[in-house]
Amino acid sequence: MSKVTVQLIVQGLVQGVGFRPFIYRLAQQHSLNGWVQNTNENVRIKLTSEPDKIQAFIDALRPEAPPASRIRDVSVEYLELEEFDGFVILKSDDLSEAVTEISPDIAVCPDCLADMNIPGRRKDYAFVNCTNCGPRFTIVRDLPYDRERTTMKPFRMCPDCDAEYHEITDRRFHAQPTACAVCGPEFELYEKGIRAEKSNKEILESLAAMIDKGSVVAIKGLGGMHLCCDAFNSKAVDTLRILKNRETKPFALMFRDLDAVLPYVYVNETEKESLSSFRRPIVLLRTKPGQFPNNNAPAGNTILSHNTAELFPPLAFGINAGLKLQGVMLPYLPFHYLLFKHLKTNAIVLTSGNFSSEPIIIDNDTALSKFNTRVDAILLHNRDIYNRTDDSVVKIMGGRERVLRRSRGFVPEPVSFNKNLDGIIAFGAELSNCFAVGKGNKAFLSQHIGDLKGLETLEFYEQTVHQFIDLFRVKPELLAVDLHPDYASTRLASKFPGLPLVQVQHHHAHIASCMAEHNLDQAVIGVSLDGTGLGTDGNIWGGEIMLCTLDNFTRLTHLNYVPLPGGDLANEEPWRMGISYLYKIMGRDFLELDLPFLKNLDEFKADGVLSMIANNINCPLTSGTGRLFDAVASVLGICQVAAFPAQGPMLLEALVSPEVFPVPGQPNNLQGQFDVYPCRTDSVIHAEDLIAGVVSDLLAGKPVSFIATKFHSSFISVIFENVKSFCEKEQIREVVLSGGVFQNKYVLEGLTYLLEINHFNVYTQESVPSNDGGIALGQMAVAAKRRELGCV
């Protein structure tokens, strides 16, 4: 059979994941001659051989590709016959302003963990990595992805590492961050502000001993600093809370391994996959009784292990603030494994190394100045972090992994959308900010930025916007912002003068975000449920059912407006919403009710709020679902002042009886075991009726958990009935669910179930957060569609 020459162009996540060595081995396996080359746009492969051999090579590309790679497209072009002597890897080339994808950071692989146990220069070396694992996004400065364009540039490889780097058959062939104890990054330990002259082994031993004895330490990790203590030591956890000014907000835990996790939380197979994936996110898992002491549930002494008669001690008091979910992650750095090798404890608190409203700290000098007098030890290393990243957070709902905070392990993997996104900068929301830049048909979403409140976070936000524009070679052409003129994200757009600007209503952006994730460009019924967002009528929206296309929307119905006494202060003090709803139902007569919630209210403050409502002073109107859930949490007496965002709704969710709600593949009890509270619907949804039902059951002595469950069932039912009605009226079968309230497992699964058994096509968010972290994608999708239609 005669030979042919072809050129393959491979698009996707194919740099920094061991793709070129994989191609080399595959070419050798199929006896092909030619070359492979990284460019800033893609990976290019030229092959000469018989057609059947080349086809076998192409067929093997996807199924045999490295685990962290993502092949999105392979194009094949037949060229004039060209003979090659063997197969080689060419030097990277910078072809144009286009870019290929950059790998997220990848958890350490089993082979590298094994290397740490082999005598030699990588024995117990905390920065071991290879083409299949290690730092990527956090160290990259520019493309193509080569060592000289990363923060590993200052570390000149020793002869042994250099030989591995250039040996095609070696696992570290062209592994850009490769290093060893001879030539790579090193740790340094500061105790009480003084640099300790210790070996790496002595540093690990000292650090572990301090943690086991109850110290709080600061540790420089992959994407920034972490604060750490023993998860079983209540005094240490209290000290950490004071240091972070974090009175009750839950802490994430890192466990030694999966076996150490199982006595404390329930873990299904999907959750195990998330915990153990190369992304290694924090996974929110349901807690087992008695193992998480807190103010709301007295601790048991011990519980039995999953399959043994061993006893396990409860975790420190107040780790998760009375919630029935715990954020859990497994080690993802070689350092984590080495630390646990020396630790006695099986779990540590590992929380972001920052203070309230500030971004995670990444540079050594700042870490020393901030933590020097506040922690017992500071562990630093001399590899710079160029792109700071927090740990990502996911939750398994409806049998699928849902990203709640998108950062380490996910960023900067883009979202591909079938629109021209080129040159669009979407600035995101005010809270849980994430922005996006458009390149071709790809939306590159930033890492989690946070709430744009403090000066340091605003500086981080602006700096990262410019870093993304430079890194992905974006030429800004169109700006997309929220409708709210006072958002910091909106104001940043003014620093790009002369460019057209698209304002996108917040809840339209939520629906468009989910549409973009699923590549939808058609009319849908959108259900957008969250806490706040400026509406087109000047009021605060958040309980919306809308007829949406990408470019526009019509508001079909919404939760009835209620006053938001004190404006944003009501978001932090749910008792204000409790009063607002009760006043709407029965005026001041509610004060005569025998409700425990009322007995504990400050009468002076309550009278002040009632006066504000009666006289319409600083009481904007809201239809926010989050505020409805706040009101129920307040009336039930479980949260009057929120120590962290959405504490009331989260505690309310924790009271729900899980057996009432549908489980994929199992019979549903949603509309059987519990009655639902009646709720009027005319031009609006009278959510105050649900509050009236809650009060009635509370006065009748019903258990709080029963009422919380019935409220959830009732809310889901009334939203479903309205969606069903509008779908039939508009003759639409596609329903899109988005907004922060869909982080509530029961709302998401319950509403999805009812819609699907009624044969509606339901779209929900998975790889992009349904909270405000996904707003930027929606803004970009709306801007792209309006540009396509010639509206900008």
Side-chain angles (χ1 to χ4, degrees):
M1 186 178 295
S2 59
K3 293 181 179 180
V4 296
T5 297
V6 300
Q7 179 169 268
L8 310 181
I9 305 296
V10 185
Q11 304 275 6
L13 178 49
V14 288
Q15 291 193 13
V17 290
F19 199 79
R20 286 177 297 172
F22 156 69
I23 293 298
Y24 177 87
R25 291 191 295 271
L26 196 64
Q28 297 281 64
Q29 179 183 328
H30 290 275
S31 303
L32 303 177
N33 293 336
W35 51 257
V36 60
Q37 181 184 44
N38 261 356
T39 78
N40 58 300
E41 299 177 353
N42 45 47
V43 167
R44 299 186 174 209
I45 306 165
K46 190 174 280 191
L47 302 169
T48 295
S49 189
E50 290 81 17
D52 58 338
K53 289 185 178 181
I54 291 176
Q55 188 59 50
F57 173 92
I58 294 172
D59 292 342
L61 275 178
R62 293 181 190 272
E64 297 182 29
S69 66
R70 295 288 184 276
I71 298 176
R72 301 189 190 279
D73 183 64
V74 180
S75 65
V76 182
E77 180 184 3
Y78 284 84
L79 306 174
E80 185 178 336
L81 184 66
E82 183 178 357
E83 291 289 354
F84 299 98
D85 184 15
F87 192 89
V88 297
I89 297 180
L90 299 183
K91 184 179 178 180
S92 298
D93 197 4
D94 198 347
L95 297 178
S96 68
E97 290 301 303
V99 296
T100 189
E101 296 176 25
I102 302 171
S103 167
D105 301 285
I106 306 170
V108 60
C109 70
D111 289 334
C112 282
L113 288 177
D115 288 346
M116 293 198 299
N117 292 317
I118 299 173
R121 68 189 203 284
R122 290 195 176 92
K123 169 72 173 172
D124 292 338
Y125 183 56
F127 299 90
V128 63
N129 65 82
C130 69
T131 55
N132 299 317
C133 70
R136 298 294 191 269
F137 172 64
T138 50
I139 64 170
V140 69
R141 295 178 181 273
D142 197 5
L143 294 176
Y145 173 67
D146 285 312
R147 191 181 183 96
E148 65 187 27
R149 297 180 179 90
T150 74
T151 60
M152 284 298 294
K153 182 180 179 181
F155 300 95
R156 184 169 181 173
M157 285 182 281
C158 68
D160 287 333
C161 283
D162 188 67
E164 293 168 342
Y165 183 87
H166 288 97
E167 174 51 57
I168 294 177
T169 60
D170 196 280
R171 202 175 80 249
R172 294 185 172 90
F173 175 71
H174 282 211
Q176 306 307 333
T178 191
C180 71
V182 175
C183 61
E186 298 176 334
F187 277 122
E188 54 183 10
L189 180 67
Y190 289 82
E191 299 178 65
K192 301 298 183 183
I194 300 172
R195 189 179 188 276
E197 298 297 331
K198 296 182 177 181
S199 67
N200 282 338
K201 182 181 178 183
E202 291 170 335
I203 285 174
L204 284 163
E205 290 172 344
S206 295
L207 194 71
M210 283 187 279
I211 294 170
D212 281 328
K213 290 176 181 177
S215 292
V216 174
V217 301
I219 299 170
K220 185 177 180 181
L222 185 64
M225 296 295 299
H226 279 111
L227 291 168
C228 172
C229 72
D230 181 4
F232 296 91
N233 190 314
S234 294
K235 185 177 179 181
V237 171
D238 288 344
T239 301
L240 182 52
R241 287 202 177 280
I242 293 169
L243 171 62
K244 288 270 293 182
N245 190 25
R246 187 168 172 172
E247 185 179 351
T248 58
K249 188 177 181 181
F251 281 130
L253 303 181
M254 177 177 281
F255 282 83
R256 179 183 298 273
D257 51 33
L258 188 58
D259 286 340
V261 171
L262 296 177
Y264 296 92
V265 291
Y266 299 98
V267 188
N268 63 34
E269 288 304 313
T270 307
E271 289 163 340
K272 284 181 184 178
E273 288 178 13
S274 290
L275 280 171
S276 304
S277 75
F278 76 86
R279 303 183 193 276
R280 294 291 164 89
I282 296 169
V283 184
L284 298 184
L285 301 170
R286 194 159 56 93
T287 60
K288 291 185 175 179
Q291 292 300 80
F292 289 83
N294 56 75
N295 290 317
N296 299 316
N301 291 324
T302 55
I303 64 167
L304 291 177
S305 174
H306 54 295
N307 277 325
T308 74
E310 293 179 56
L311 298 177
F312 294 87
L315 289 147
F317 187 87
I319 282 282
N320 71 343
L323 303 177
K324 290 183 180 178
L325 292 175
Q326 174 60 47
V328 171
M329 58 181 154
L330 294 178
Y332 55 86
L333 295 178
F335 164 76
H336 295 148
Y337 286 91
L338 291 172
L339 181 62
F340 274 112
K341 186 176 178 180
H342 293 278
L343 282 170
K344 296 176 182 176
T345 184
N346 275 338
I348 55 176
V349 173
L350 200 66
T351 187
S352 56
N354 62 349
F355 300 101
S356 181
S357 79
E358 295 181 4
I360 189 171
I361 293 168
I362 60 171
D363 68 278
N364 293 358
D365 290 341
T366 303
L368 286 171
S369 65
K370 292 275 189 179
F371 295 132
N372 205 17
T373 60
R374 303 186 187 191
V375 298
D376 297 297
I378 304 172
L379 183 68
L380 301 175
H381 60 71
N382 58 344
R383 184 181 70 204
D384 287 343
I385 298 168
Y386 189 70
N387 297 297
R388 56 162 55 88
T389 57
D390 289 275
D391 294 313
S392 296
V393 180
V394 306
K395 185 178 180 181
I396 307 304
M397 295 183 286
R400 302 175 188 174
E401 182 183 87
R402 317 280 178 163
V403 178
L404 307 187
R405 184 169 76 190
R406 192 175 186 271
S407 205
R408 176 188 55 76
F410 291 90
V411 173
E413 188 175 336
V415 176
S416 295
F417 186 41
N418 54 8
K419 296 290 170 197
N420 175 20
L421 307 177
D422 209 54
I424 302 176
I425 313 297
F427 290 86
E430 183 81 352
L431 304 177
S432 300
N433 180 273
C434 163
F435 65 85
V437 300
K439 189 74 175 179
N441 70 337
K442 296 184 179 72
F444 289 92
L445 275 67
S446 77
Q447 66 270 47
H448 169 76
I449 303 294
D451 297 348
L452 302 182
K453 299 293 186 183
L455 177 61
E456 294 87 353
T457 303
L458 286 171
E459 290 173 348
F460 164 43
Y461 172 55
E462 185 168 353
Q463 175 190 24
T464 310
V465 168
H466 288 289
Q467 283 181 193
F468 263 60
I469 288 172
D470 292 341
L471 181 62
F472 296 109
R473 305 182 185 189
V474 174
K475 294 180 179 178
E477 297 175 3
L478 179 60
L479 312 178
V481 299
D482 192 89
L483 195 62
H484 202 302
D486 295 328
Y487 277 2
S489 52
T490 303
R491 293 197 302 270
L492 179 58
S494 66
K495 296 186 178 182
F496 293 80
L499 294 177
L501 183 77
V502 173
Q503 290 182 298
V504 184
Q505 198 280 324
H506 187 90
H507 300 93
H508 183 206
H510 269 308
I511 301 304
S513 175
C514 189
M515 292 174 71
E517 183 177 348
H518 293 281
N519 265 303
L520 297 178
D521 184 8
Q522 63 196 87
V524 302
I525 298 298
V527 184
S528 186
L529 307 177
D530 65 1
T532 186
L534 181 64
T536 54
D537 60 359
N539 294 323
I540 299 169
W541 292 7
E544 314 303 313
I545 299 178
M546 315 159 84
L547 172 61
C548 288
T549 55
L550 280 177
D551 62 302
N552 214 337
F553 72 94
T554 300
R555 193 186 195 195
L556 300 174
T557 191
H558 56 87
L559 300 190
N560 197 12
Y561 283 130
V562 291
L564 186 72
D568 287 345
L569 188 59
N571 301 341
E572 302 169 11
E573 299 182 357
W575 66 268
R576 292 172 177 265
M577 290 311 302
I579 285 180
S580 184
Y581 266 101
L582 291 174
Y583 184 82
K584 186 175 186 68
I585 297 167
M586 58 190 77
R588 294 183 70 96
D589 290 348
F590 79 87
L591 294 169
E592 305 303 318
L593 298 175
D594 184 22
L595 295 175
F597 144 70
L598 295 175
K599 294 174 182 176
N600 297 322
L601 273 183
D602 183 310
E603 290 186 17
F604 178 77
K605 288 185 177 180
D607 283 341
V609 164
L610 287 169
S611 178
M612 290 168 66
I613 295 172
N615 294 287
N616 193 24
I617 298 172
N618 193 19
C619 284
L621 296 177
T622 178
S623 63
T625 305
R627 303 295 75 79
L628 170 66
F629 279 59
D630 272 343
V632 176
S634 172
V635 171
L636 291 181
I638 60 175
C639 185
Q640 306 306 337
V641 177
F644 54 89
Q647 184 183 18
M650 290 168 73
L651 287 169
L652 190 65
E653 179 184 357
L655 288 172
V656 172
S657 302
E659 62 273 11
V660 174
F661 285 86
V663 177
Q666 296 184 19
N668 171 49
N669 296 320
L670 186 63
Q671 292 184 312
Q673 185 171 343
F674 284 85
D675 293 328
V676 296
Y677 300 123
C679 183
R680 293 169 294 144
T681 298
D682 39 50
S683 60
V684 296
I685 300 168
H686 290 272
E688 65 270 21
D689 293 353
L690 302 180
I691 299 287
V694 166
V695 170
S696 177
D697 272 353
L698 198 57
L699 292 174
K702 300 284 187 179
V704 170
S705 61
F706 173 92
I707 299 171
T709 305
K710 187 174 178 180
F711 166 74
H712 275 77
S713 300
S714 304
F715 177 77
I716 292 165
S717 178
V718 72
I719 296 297
F720 164 71
E721 292 297 341
N722 275 270
V723 171
K724 180 182 177 185
S725 174
F726 284 114
C727 282
E728 291 170 350
K729 181 179 178 181
E730 301 292 339
Q731 297 187 326
I732 291 174
R733 307 303 297 177
E734 286 68 38
V735 180
V736 172
L737 311 180
S738 188
V741 171
F742 288 107
Q743 295 175 137
N744 181 309
K745 172 183 173 71
Y746 306 111
V747 173
L748 177 68
E749 293 183 350
L751 185 54
T752 299
Y753 183 89
L754 290 179
L755 289 166
E756 287 184 342
I757 64 172
N758 282 274
H759 310 295
F760 293 103
N761 302 315
V762 184
Y763 298 89
T764 56
Q765 303 207 265
E766 298 174 35
S767 63
V768 176
S770 62
N771 59 41
D772 284 4
I775 284 287
L777 178 62
Q779 292 172 344
M780 179 170 285
V782 172
K785 184 64 178 180
R786 290 182 185 173
R787 180 169 66 180
E788 178 182 284
L789 295 173
C791 300
V792 291

